[in-house]
Amino acid sequence: MTLLKRLILFTFLFTLAFPYQAFAYKVVLDAGHGGSDPGAIGVNGLREKDVNWDITQKVRDELTALGYEVVLTRKDDSYWALAQRVEFTNAQQADLFVSIHANAHPDGKTNGSMVLYYDNAYPQEDYPASETMKQLTPYSKDLAQHVLNSLVAAVGTKNLGLVPSAVYVARMGTIPSILVETAFLSQSSDAALLASDAVRAKMAKGIANGIAAYAPPLFTDTLTHWAREAIVRMQNKGVIEGMAANLFEPDRALTRAEFLTLMDRVFTFSEMKASCEPSGTVTSLVYGCQAGAAEQSYKDLPTSHWASPVFAKAKKLNLLQGYSDGTIRPNQPITRGEVAYLFDHLLQLSATANSRQQAAQLPSFDDVPSTLWSAKAIYALQNKGLINGITNTSFKPDQTITRAEIAALLNRYYVK
Ligand SMILES: [Zn+2]
């Protein structure tokens, strides 16, 4: 099996074993009908496509305020085929799909809210679901239940329950998917609710809160943080991890152990060869080649420490040396200068004359004189657009780096 195949298999198994439980960050909202397809026509003349569109926009705003990334299928009053909606959604790498509709019944009396989802316990031979959707039954059902409860609580509509359904958009996708029937346009009191902007706003809030109750947005302590986008992307890429309880602790200083762990994920230490720096470095923390101490262990790094394996790998690469007192200080915050030095070392950037030449043309930081041990690395990374100063003239090499800052750096590295 190739590495790629193994990786895909692992990802697949991992996805099935731990899917969608802890959080979500991207939601696809689908306003039902549109364009030449008006959907149901209400007893009060309301067109379903207009009601759906209004509620969908309101749900989008609610979810965005809660910290989700939201994508819409149709973005105006245009016709989208059902297959187009699902195809679009499958390409989004989203976490959840929610289609929004209003209901109709020929008896004119039925009223209330219901939520449709695909349930593999009730397969319909003529309308087979995607293989993924079959597996996702418990997740779609759970999402449906949360949204229905919250919607009914918000507006006081009659609870008509969950409906196992083979409706196209709920059965053909690859993420937990539901179709919300907010209320009946064919029944007068429900139609009056749907005609009210205030009620539609309540419905939207109910739907959004139901989604959030099922899967809160990723890292609740980063929702309004400047580095939110980079943090989410790096988490999605499997580079960074959060702390317990869906928190990221963005403004906490990054520790040396955490930094090494990140670097191992990015550069895969086990596939690298040790290389020596041409000249020694001047710091209490010395990176680079030093003969002799290879088998020495550190006083403050017992093998029981969670980061002990990554420190061992880093040591093999001569990436870092301990302090003269025999410690390696895994839990000590790492400084911006140290991060730049080691990251650059790993990139082998400063070894190229080209980047040195270009770096010389850039404005320099007042607190990074060329004699500083980390100067070459800092300017090489600045030149590559990977690292910024605190201001245009100050880099603060001795300041600790936050977890948000490292996420931003790594995001820039992957975008390049
Ligand atoms: Zn509809």
Side-chain angles (χ1 to χ4, degrees):
M1 211 186 288
T2 65
L3 182 63
L4 182 64
K5 273 188 188 156
R6 263 185 287 165
L7 189 69
I8 289 168
L9 180 68
F10 173 79
T11 307
F12 183 67
L13 292 174
F14 184 83
T15 305
L16 289 185
F18 307 100
Y20 315 114
Q21 293 286 51
F23 57 82
Y25 64 92
K26 190 169 179 183
V27 179
V28 175
L29 293 179
D30 175 53
H33 311 279
S36 58
D37 169 18
I41 304 294
V43 289
N44 50 3
L46 276 180
R47 296 182 302 186
E48 188 196 341
K49 67 172 184 177
D50 299 328
V51 173
N52 297 344
W53 174 236
D54 184 71
I55 295 172
T56 298
Q57 286 176 287
K58 288 176 160 72
V59 176
R60 175 197 60 199
D61 294 346
E62 293 286 345
L63 288 178
T64 305
L66 287 171
Y68 294 91
E69 182 182 348
V70 181
V71 181
L72 303 186
T73 54
R74 72 170 166 104
K75 289 150 189 79
D76 49 29
D77 181 20
S78 57
Y79 177 80
W80 278 47
L82 296 176
Q84 187 185 359
R85 294 169 196 254
V86 171
E87 236 170 74
F88 173 85
T89 302
N90 288 351
Q92 290 302 312
Q93 310 235 309
D95 298 297
L96 305 172
F97 172 88
V98 178
S99 187
I100 292 171
H101 286 251
N103 220 333
H105 194 285
D107 70 7
K109 293 176 189 162
T110 309
N111 68 320
S113 305
M114 59 172 72
V115 177
L116 283 55
Y117 70 101
Y118 176 79
D119 195 320
N120 209 37
Y122 308 93
Q124 294 189 27
E125 221 170 279
D126 294 339
Y127 302 100
S130 73
E131 286 308 310
T132 315
M133 198 57 83
K134 291 176 187 172
Q135 308 273 350
L136 290 175
T137 290
Y139 305 102
S140 294
K141 185 176 186 178
D142 198 16
L143 170 64
Q145 190 67 66
H146 279 87
V147 169
L148 180 64
N149 292 350
S150 179
L151 171 64
V152 166
V155 246
T157 41
K158 187 172 167 188
N159 189 336
L160 297 177
L162 301 186
V163 181
S165 165
V167 63
Y168 192 91
V169 294
R171 77 179 146 90
M172 294 308 288
T174 52
I175 52 176
S177 300
I178 59 172
L179 188 150
V180 181
E181 295 281 11
T182 48
F184 279 77
L185 279 165
S186 51
Q187 191 271 340
S188 56
S189 63
D190 263 23
L193 291 176
L194 289 166
S196 158
D197 188 69
V199 174
R200 292 196 302 268
K202 274 190 198 172
M203 286 176 166
K205 212 175 184 85
I207 292 167
N209 288 341
I211 292 169
Y214 169 71
L218 176 65
F219 299 152
T220 46
D221 58 348
T222 67
L223 297 182
T224 57
H225 198 279
W226 63 267
R228 165 87 183 162
E229 198 184 325
I231 291 166
V232 168
R233 273 164 100 175
M234 290 303 98
Q235 197 277 345
N236 190 32
K237 215 172 163 52
V239 175
I240 61 162
E241 280 176 357
M243 309 305 293
N246 197 21
L247 300 176
F248 183 69
E249 301 183 3
D251 297 320
R252 170 167 71 71
L254 185 77
T255 69
R256 291 153 56 84
E258 288 173 331
F259 179 67
L260 269 194
T261 303
L262 292 175
M263 291 301 96
D264 189 23
R265 288 200 194 114
V266 174
F267 294 102
T268 315
F269 289 169
S270 59
E271 291 174 7
M272 296 179 83
K273 285 206 179 90
S275 76
C276 295
E277 283 295 291
S279 59
T281 55
V282 189
T283 170
S284 59
L285 172 68
V286 183
Y287 296 112
C289 249
Q290 268 185 14
E295 295 311 316
Q296 172 202 324
S297 59
Y298 305 113
K299 280 199 285 193
D300 56 348
L301 189 73
T303 48
S304 58
H305 192 287
W306 65 269
S308 175
V310 76
F311 273 95
K313 281 192 267 182
K315 196 170 184 179
K316 267 192 191 156
L317 291 178
N318 293 317
L319 285 180
L320 72 167
Q321 297 288 332
Y323 288 87
S324 54
D325 64 359
T327 63
I328 192 72
R329 304 178 197 175
N331 306 320
Q332 177 175 295
I334 195 162
T335 68
R336 292 165 53 81
E338 288 167 343
V339 163
Y341 187 90
L342 192 46
F343 196 79
D344 179 62
H345 179 72
L346 286 163
L347 277 174
Q348 301 293 314
L349 268 184
S350 55
T352 68
N354 197 23
S355 69
R356 257 200 300 262
Q357 273 169 13
Q358 288 172 20
Q361 296 163 7
L362 284 171
S364 57
F365 300 115
D366 295 344
D367 53 1
V368 185
S370 60
T371 50
L372 187 70
W373 65 277
S374 56
K376 202 172 76 172
I378 291 168
Y379 288 123
L381 293 179
Q382 181 203 22
N383 178 49
K384 286 269 174 188
L386 291 173
I387 204 162
N388 297 326
I390 299 293
T391 68
N392 283 341
T393 54
S394 167
F395 184 78
K396 303 221 169 167
D398 297 327
Q399 184 173 296
T400 57
I401 195 165
T402 67
R403 288 165 55 81
E405 286 170 333
I406 198 72
L409 188 160
L410 293 175
N411 184 44
R412 286 191 288 269
Y413 169 69
Y414 279 108
V415 168
K416 294 274 157 196

